[in-house]
Amino acid sequence: MKVTVCRKESFNAAHRIAHPEWSDEKNQKIFGACANKNYHGHNYTLSLKLSGQVDPETGYVYDMKKLGELVKKYIIEPLDHKNLNLDVPAFKHRIPTTEHLAIYIYEQLRPHIESRYEIKLILEETDKNYVEYPA
Amino acid sequence: MKVTVCRKESFNAAHRIAHPEWSDEKNQKIFGACANKNYHGHNYTLSLKLSGQVDPETGYVYDMKKLGELVKKYIIEPLDHKNLNLDVPAFKHRIPTTEHLAIYIYEQLRPHIESRYEIKLILEETDKNYVEYPA
Amino acid sequence: MKVTVCRKESFNAAHRIAHPEWSDEKNQKIFGACANKNYHGHNYTLSLKLSGQVDPETGYVYDMKKLGELVKKYIIEPLDHKNLNLDVPAFKHRIPTTEHLAIYIYEQLRPHIESRYEIKLILEETDKNYVEYPA
Amino acid sequence: MKVTVCRKESFNAAHRIAHPEWSDEKNQKIFGACANKNYHGHNYTLSLKLSGQVDPETGYVYDMKKLGELVKKYIIEPLDHKNLNLDVPAFKHRIPTTEHLAIYIYEQLRPHIESRYEIKLILEETDKNYVEYPA
Amino acid sequence: MKVTVCRKESFNAAHRIAHPEWSDEKNQKIFGACANKNYHGHNYTLSLKLSGQVDPETGYVYDMKKLGELVKKYIIEPLDHKNLNLDVPAFKHRIPTTEHLAIYIYEQLRPHIESRYEIKLILEETDKNYVEYPA
Amino acid sequence: MKVTVCRKESFNAAHRIAHPEWSDEKNQKIFGACANKNYHGHNYTLSLKLSGQVDPETGYVYDMKKLGELVKKYIIEPLDHKNLNLDVPAFKHRIPTTEHLAIYIYEQLRPHIESRYEIKLILEETDKNYVEYPA
């Protein structure tokens, strides 16, 4: 009776995709407009998936209200309406690509959710681009 | 040449999330507004996924018209425009959470689809919450 | 410099479409499955539109945070996770069709928003059916 | 035989909602997280609507390929992957609210589209907030 | 108490955008890939909007079941899974642009809906292009 | 650090689902309206998923601009605004079902993407029907 439950949340942020040790020319060549120096931004949509046994008493795999509070505390508050490069310490030395952002979100949440739950997340950067982690 | 084919259908229903042996206070504490005694409701979206070999003659994994008829007969007719707690016998003694509803839908359809097909379903309760079964 | 600003919010509720003075047979004939006696339900999506002049200082037509608080207080709290027929006094003697619900929402909000704003709303009951009020 | 034709395009940008002559405290009080000093960002969706007579020869109100090129040249290129406050001269002294951005887009396009066409646009900043101009 | 009620339906069809009296070269120049001689196709989404008084007895502007039947009979059956150029007599001598198709749909439905209802429709050809008629 | 990156693209095409060696009657019986002889069509949405290690320098699993160019060259150009049965050699003797089309797209792209990437794709034919390959 293992079920996967999923919760979608949104946040928006500015970022710039550029390697801090590369020249502007190289960054522009590799990352194109994503490297523009004054930042651009996105509405991110996060789908958080937890797989686990259904609790026989409540019929829930996980209390969605509790999950919502964890996401709010560890993800939305530090990321929403922020500049990922400037405001989030983890991205001082790590390029804030969607891949890195998904791994970061996973690492922030994993310690706060019991290990018996398998976690997977989908992070949409635009209507055309999204990532899944772990693969 | 194994392909997964998916079909989306919708239905809407009323329900109440409450343990029949718990007090109103306890139900309200655990389930919040979902336990409100006069029911609330949702537009559910069901995505039914069948994985199997492509038939070399038709190019189909499964006849979608036949699948649509099975879903109509075993899922839409008994659930659509119904009160899950009062009108669906399976939920007389089983809380109609999305998890339980997904398992119920799977159990209703599984006997009518040949065992060579793997079945998986996604059940969306709102734009923010959905479940997948089996996990 | 008149701009229309729009805000989308969601709530879900149970209801039954039936005339209190008609027989079950007549209600079933006129309203079909919508008249089922134990209620069914929907995820409603409300788009609230305010037309007005842009404030030259803030660049806003209306403070969306304030609008969100009004919608929460006068619409979401009385309707969300409720049974429209049983829990909302206005629908004791008024069939809770989407048309009536849209007019009700308009009447609840209109007194709390300055008359210099024109108000229009879109209320979606399902992915296929929605209403606009005023027409 | 007047028809409205609509074209949807997307771009993303960073911005900050803050009055240049107000203190940080006042900006934070009026604009909340939108005033965060390091910017945040959005995926904007623009729907451009042109109303006019159907050309009896082509069956078109307007050549969508030509409209796409105008939008690309006058809207997407100057705004996409940009910081509205820093990179777009019009917003040096004008707060880049969605209202102002919609008026700006209208003013950029209007001179390039024959006056016999009525223009209206919808600009979505997030899934929950959008504006229409002219109202 | 005038409300607009809206109903969304879908159909799909093949078509080719080409003037029957123009050369292939001219059609290709004016219409691009839309003029390809072996046809291409779309999933069309039709939103039909009726504005009228709310019936004080039923709370309905129009019986959606009856509207669904009219749309099925006069629009879906003649257009769905068809080639607009070859299978629909009205497009033998009229280029099946979205503009013309919207006018055609309006003309098919208007005689079957009482004149006290104002009718307006939205016809989406792709996620990026749609038309409204009347403008 | 294995992440799945996904890219969505669209194209539209005409097709007919019919076995070339069957009678019209048999095709109509097995495939219904999909066998109509003058073709119909769809807006297809392709989600291409690549799973692989995150490049420690760029923070990318795969350069999305390069992926976009591959999809444009090998998928969009040969399929968009085409008749699958008549214009695409692979479907001269293979029924263009969504299953077959998904396998075809996979086979076209696989040789151009390094084997260390796992590829999976989702192909949507309508809002209700889609396939995943490999299953």
Side-chain angles (χ1 to χ4, degrees), chain B residues 3-33:
Chain B
V3 174
T4 299
V5 295
C6 313
R7 175 89 182 170
K8 270 195 182 182
E9 298 285 353
S10 301
F11 61 92
N12 58 71
H15 76 161
R16 179 194 180 209
I17 304 299
H19 195 296
E21 293 167 19
W22 290 354
S23 68
D24 281 359
E25 290 69 29
K26 184 164 180 192
N27 274 317
Q28 204 74 37
K29 187 168 168 259
I30 303 291
F31 297 115

Side-chain angles (χ1 to χ4, degrees), chain B residues 28-43:
Chain B
Q28 204 74 37
K29 187 168 168 259
I30 303 291
F31 297 115
C34 297
N36 284 351
K37 72 177 196 302
N38 288 326
Y39 312 101
H40 61 282
H42 299 287
N43 303 325

Side-chain angles (χ1 to χ4, degrees), chain A residues 9-15 41-46 84 96-98 101 123-125, chain D residues 43:
Chain A
E9 297 285 353
S10 300
F11 60 93
N12 59 70
H15 76 161
H42 299 287
N43 303 325
Y44 290 93
T45 302
L46 170 67
L84 300 180
T97 58
T98 322
L101 187 55
L123 183 63
E124 298 170 61
E125 191 187 62
Chain D
N43 304 324

Side-chain angles (χ1 to χ4, degrees), chain F residues 20-40:
Chain F
E21 293 166 21
W22 290 353
S23 68
D24 281 1
E25 290 69 29
K26 185 166 179 189
N27 274 317
Q28 205 72 37
K29 187 168 168 260
I30 302 292
F31 296 115
C34 297
N36 284 350
K37 73 177 195 304
N38 287 326
Y39 311 102
H40 60 282

Side-chain angles (χ1 to χ4, degrees), chain B residues 25-132:
Chain B
E25 290 69 29
K26 184 164 180 192
N27 274 317
Q28 204 74 37
K29 187 168 168 259
I30 303 291
F31 297 115
C34 297
N36 284 351
K37 72 177 196 302
N38 288 326
Y39 312 101
H40 61 282
H42 299 287
N43 303 325
Y44 290 95
T45 302
L46 171 66
S47 300
L48 186 61
K49 299 176 157 199
L50 268 64
S51 299
Q53 296 297 325
V54 180
D55 179 297
E57 277 220 307
T58 61
Y60 279 167
V61 163
Y62 198 90
D63 180 345
M64 281 288 140
K65 205 173 63 181
K66 191 180 152 199
L67 185 60
E69 286 161 8
L70 290 175
V71 173
K72 196 178 172 201
K73 183 171 178 186
Y74 294 107
I75 307 303
I76 305 301
E77 281 179 10
L79 299 182
D80 190 38
H81 283 81
K82 294 291 162 56
N83 183 309
L84 299 179
N85 304 65
L86 301 178
D87 298 327
V88 184
F91 295 110
K92 285 272 152 71
H93 304 289
R94 204 183 186 182
I95 306 178
T97 59
T98 321
E99 290 90 328
H100 279 166
L101 188 54
I103 295 169
Y104 167 83
I105 289 172
Y106 181 89
E107 288 170 348
Q108 297 306 106
L109 284 170
R110 183 69 273 187
H112 303 288
I113 293 169
E114 294 85 340
S115 61
R116 68 176 179 275
Y117 294 103
E118 188 189 352
I119 301 179
K120 197 162 177 173
L121 58 87
I122 302 171
L123 183 63
E124 297 170 64
E125 192 188 60
T126 70
D127 284 347
K128 296 184 70 170
N129 294 327
Y130 62 100
V131 310
E132 298 178 353

Side-chain angles (χ1 to χ4, degrees), chain E residues 13-76:
Chain E
H15 77 159
R16 180 194 179 209
I17 304 299
H19 196 296
E21 292 165 20
W22 290 354
S23 68
D24 281 0
E25 290 67 30
K26 184 165 180 190
N27 274 318
Q28 204 74 36
K29 185 167 169 260
I30 303 292
F31 297 116
C34 296
N36 284 350
K37 72 176 197 303
N38 288 325
Y39 312 100
H40 60 283
H42 298 289
N43 304 324
Y44 291 93
T45 301
L46 170 68
S47 299
L48 185 61
K49 298 175 157 200
L50 267 64
S51 299
Q53 296 297 325
V54 180
D55 180 296
E57 276 220 307
T58 61
Y60 279 166
V61 164
Y62 197 91
D63 181 344
M64 281 287 140
K65 206 174 62 181
K66 192 181 150 198
L67 185 60
E69 286 161 8
L70 289 175
V71 174
K72 197 180 171 198
K73 183 172 177 185
Y74 295 107
I75 307 304
I76 304 301

Side-chain angles (χ1 to χ4, degrees), chain E:
Chain E
M1 289 309 191
K2 217 174 162 188
V3 173
T4 300
V5 294
C6 313
R7 175 88 181 170
K8 270 194 182 179
E9 298 285 353
S10 302
F11 60 93
N12 58 70
H15 77 159
R16 180 194 179 209
I17 304 299
H19 196 296
E21 292 165 20
W22 290 354
S23 68
D24 281 0
E25 290 67 30
K26 184 165 180 190
N27 274 318
Q28 204 74 36
K29 185 167 169 260
I30 303 292
F31 297 116
C34 296
N36 284 350
K37 72 176 197 303
N38 288 325
Y39 312 100
H40 60 283
H42 298 289
N43 304 324
Y44 291 93
T45 301
L46 170 68
S47 299
L48 185 61
K49 298 175 157 200
L50 267 64
S51 299
Q53 296 297 325
V54 180
D55 180 296
E57 276 220 307
T58 61
Y60 279 166
V61 164
Y62 197 91
D63 181 344
M64 281 287 140
K65 206 174 62 181
K66 192 181 150 198
L67 185 60
E69 286 161 8
L70 289 175
V71 174
K72 197 180 171 198
K73 183 172 177 185
Y74 295 107
I75 307 304
I76 304 301
E77 281 179 9
L79 299 182
D80 190 37
H81 282 81
K82 293 289 163 54
N83 182 310
L84 300 179
N85 304 65
L86 301 179
D87 297 328
V88 184
F91 295 110
K92 285 272 150 74
H93 304 288
R94 206 185 187 182
I95 306 179
T97 59
T98 321
E99 290 90 327
H100 279 168
L101 187 55
I103 295 169
Y104 166 85
I105 289 171
Y106 182 89
E107 289 170 349
Q108 297 306 106
L109 285 170
R110 183 68 275 186
H112 303 288
I113 293 168
E114 295 84 340
S115 61
R116 69 176 180 275
Y117 294 103
E118 188 189 351
I119 301 179
K120 198 163 177 171
L121 59 87
I122 302 171
L123 183 63
E124 298 169 63
E125 192 188 62
T126 69
D127 283 349
K128 296 185 71 172
N129 293 327
Y130 62 100
V131 310
E132 298 178 353
Y133 181 76

